[in-house]
Amino acid sequence: MPVTPFVNEPFVDFTQPENKRRMQAALDDIRSRLGREYDIVIGGKRLKTAGKIFSMNPAHPAQVIGVHQRAGAEHVEEAMQAAQAAFTTWSRTSAEERAGLLFRAAALIRERSFEFCAG
């Protein structure tokens, strides 16, 4: 993948009907997911816990944005083992491959820019 000099992403022109439509669709999509519960993922395994963390909208404190699992001491060992196993592979990953992953992540963020702005 060719590397070009860094430039900031351009601003979105909301006077364009298509941009307004895409932003409204993204806002509607995010609104439909408010209050959703998210699992902890340790070593590729999804877990639910008894304890929860509630993320609230600071502008509307009664509005729950999302519910997250509260990890406890019982999750530490498994999480550490999973992180060490991942590091073994990651530490042997070339700089070019790591950069490629970052470029692909940036491309996904660009593709989903309206969703990221809405969230």
Side-chain angles (χ1 to χ4, degrees), residues 73-114:
E74 68 274 19
H75 300 103
V76 173
E77 186 59 35
E78 188 177 358
M80 287 298 297
Q81 287 178 7
Q84 287 176 331
F87 177 75
T88 301
T89 303
W90 184 251
S91 67
R92 288 188 235 121
T93 303
S94 70
E96 291 79 16
E97 192 173 346
R98 291 177 190 205
L101 288 168
L102 289 173
F103 284 121
R104 285 198 295 279
L108 286 170
I109 291 169
R110 266 187 218 97
E111 284 175 26
R112 296 172 56 188
S113 64
F114 288 95

Side-chain angles (χ1 to χ4, degrees), residues 51-70:
K52 307 296 180 197
I53 300 168
F54 292 86
S55 178
M56 312 304 284
N57 179 347
H60 303 283
Q63 184 180 49
V64 177
I65 301 300
V67 181
H68 306 274
Q69 308 307 308
R70 183 180 302 278

Side-chain angles (χ1 to χ4, degrees), residues 30-58:
I30 293 294
R31 236 180 251 113
S32 75
R33 292 189 267 158
L34 291 177
R36 181 176 165 193
E37 186 169 339
Y38 297 90
D39 297 343
I40 290 176
V41 180
I42 299 175
K45 204 168 43 170
R46 296 183 168 279
L47 305 169
K48 290 200 183 302
T49 63
K52 307 296 180 197
I53 300 168
F54 292 86
S55 178
M56 312 304 284
N57 179 347

